[in-house]
Amino acid sequence: MSSSTYDPDASQAIVRLAGTSDHDLVAEVLKRDGALVVEGLIGVDAIERLAAELEPHVASRAPGFLSEHDSYFYGRNTKRIQGLAAKSPTYVAEYLLHPLLLHAAEAMLGVHGGDFWLSQAETIFIGPGEPAQILHRDDEGWIHAARLGMDLQVSTLLAVGDYDAEVGATMVIPGSHLWPVDQPFDPSQAVPVELEMGDALIYMGNIVHGGGENKTSDRWRQGLYQAYLLGWLVPEEAVALQLTPEQAGHLPQRARELLGWSNIRSDSDPDQPSAALALWQLDAADLERLEGQFVPRQ
Ligand SMILES: O=C(O)CCC(=O)C(=O)O
């Protein structure tokens, strides 16, 4: 089913492209369809490293949430672990900074001026017996901006293990990104997007979707969610606060920008390490304390 050429008459509901596809082609399909699958976005080696780094966190986390609302919406038997940049170097190197994803986000969000940053990155491991999630549009979280009709978010669900409709593959209503954000919809129009390990579903925040029902009694649906958001909207996670200044300082400049630890799209002098902290200062004294610890801008 994989194809590296774009056929606008393709009959499949959600187009699937190979991970080696031209990045402009991926952006073109995302713009047109609001969602697509990129097969083999991340290699098996990297996925295995990612899974191993996250495993202790997954093992020690009980499923579900304290609040009734969160358990209802995010799942009673689902494990969502956030703060991934502080937990997994592979997450930062292979997923947050993935060139294809950054290119797609730039194409969709860069047109609104300024940069984008990370809104959220989390495991969405859906446990056996979890009912289907309520279908929704992620952009509803910024409803006033969403009603302006502009693109706010580019999200990705990466398969850490193979997943099919039986185990809770994401349900998507193809074409719903073209509807007004308040338009009611018929859940029966949603189709499952099945993935193999390393494949990714990339989708716009205005497309109707939700986690599928896990009909199995013994398998977990292992997805890793990430969303880039317009740089002038407040992210879902307090991303910058998840990292100490020292942790942030050892990340590449682009990661710092995406994680709220730098002024976005800084054009400042690369030879001035403190320029990386120009916007998000703790106190002027910290600039001196941290100077020299930062990885210089490449
Ligand atoms: O887990 C999925 O497949 C989708 C999750 C989702 O849409 C959400 O929690 O907002």
Side-chain angles (χ1 to χ4, degrees):
M1 199 123 87
S2 174
S3 151
S4 54
T5 53
Y6 175 41
D7 174 5
D9 298 324
S11 58
Q12 67 259 42
I14 303 286
V15 168
R16 304 178 79 96
L17 297 178
T20 50
S21 302
D22 179 73
H23 294 183
D24 285 334
L25 173 65
V26 171
E28 186 188 336
V29 176
L30 182 62
K31 190 172 177 52
R32 187 197 72 164
D33 294 355
L36 78 156
V37 169
V38 175
E39 296 181 339
L41 179 79
I42 294 190
V44 170
D45 279 6
I47 293 282
E48 283 173 357
R49 264 185 284 123
L50 192 53
E53 287 161 6
L54 295 176
E55 205 284 324
H57 303 281
V58 176
S60 62
R61 175 70 58 88
F65 301 87
L66 288 180
S67 90
E68 177 50 32
H69 167 272
D70 285 359
S71 284
Y72 173 72
F73 186 75
Y74 297 114
R76 265 171 240 291
N77 197 28
T78 291
K79 294 192 186 191
R80 292 182 185 240
I81 293 160
Q82 303 174 341
L84 299 190
K87 296 181 171 74
S88 167
T90 304
Y91 160 70
V92 174
E94 304 284 343
Y95 195 12
L96 177 71
L97 292 175
H98 196 293
L100 181 148
L101 297 177
L102 292 176
H103 185 88
E106 175 64 35
M108 298 306 297
L109 306 178
V111 290
H112 300 309
D115 206 354
F116 52 89
W117 55 347
L118 185 72
S119 178
Q120 189 163 49
E122 61 177 357
T123 63
I124 307 186
F125 287 8
I126 302 179
E130 184 76 85
Q133 187 183 33
I134 303 290
L135 296 179
H136 59 278
R137 301 167 169 99
D138 287 347
D139 286 355
E140 288 161 17
W142 299 266
I143 192 65
H144 300 291
R147 287 190 182 125
L148 298 174
M150 61 176 67
D151 293 316
L152 309 184
Q153 277 194 100
V154 173
S155 300
T156 306
L157 263 159
L158 170 70
V160 177
D162 295 353
Y163 55 77
D164 54 22
E166 214 33 41
V167 81
T170 308
M171 304 295 294
V172 174
I173 300 189
S176 56
H177 64 298
L178 300 172
W179 305 342
V181 71
D182 297 308
Q183 180 168 314
F185 51 82
D186 172 3
S188 70
Q189 292 178 298
V191 298
V193 182
E194 299 188 330
L195 303 177
E196 290 181 10
M197 184 196 275
D199 295 350
L201 166 66
I202 307 176
Y203 59 102
M204 298 307 298
N206 54 6
I207 201 159
V208 177
H209 71 284
E213 176 184 358
N214 186 337
K215 299 177 187 144
T216 75
S217 59
D218 58 355
R219 288 165 59 208
W220 285 75
R221 200 243 28 200
Q222 296 175 291
L224 208 65
Y225 176 76
Q226 169 174 275
Y228 302 123
L229 175 71
L230 287 181
W232 41 269
L233 293 173
V234 177
E236 253 186 279
E237 282 181 45
V239 177
L241 301 182
Q242 296 160 344
L243 296 162
T244 63
E246 287 73 17
Q247 284 174 313
H250 288 94
L251 295 175
Q253 170 69 17
R254 189 66 183 123
R256 284 205 292 273
E257 291 167 354
L258 292 165
L259 295 166
W261 266 97
S262 176
N263 51 341
I264 53 175
R265 186 147 313 141
S266 166
D267 291 325
S268 37
D269 182 349
D271 296 329
Q272 297 293 323
S274 60
L277 285 177
L279 194 64
W280 241 62
Q281 297 181 10
L282 303 172
D283 184 289
D286 288 302
L287 293 182
E288 290 168 28
R289 186 171 66 81
L290 296 170
E291 197 145 7
Q293 294 186 25
F294 274 62
V295 177
R297 205 178 150 88
Q298 286 95 27

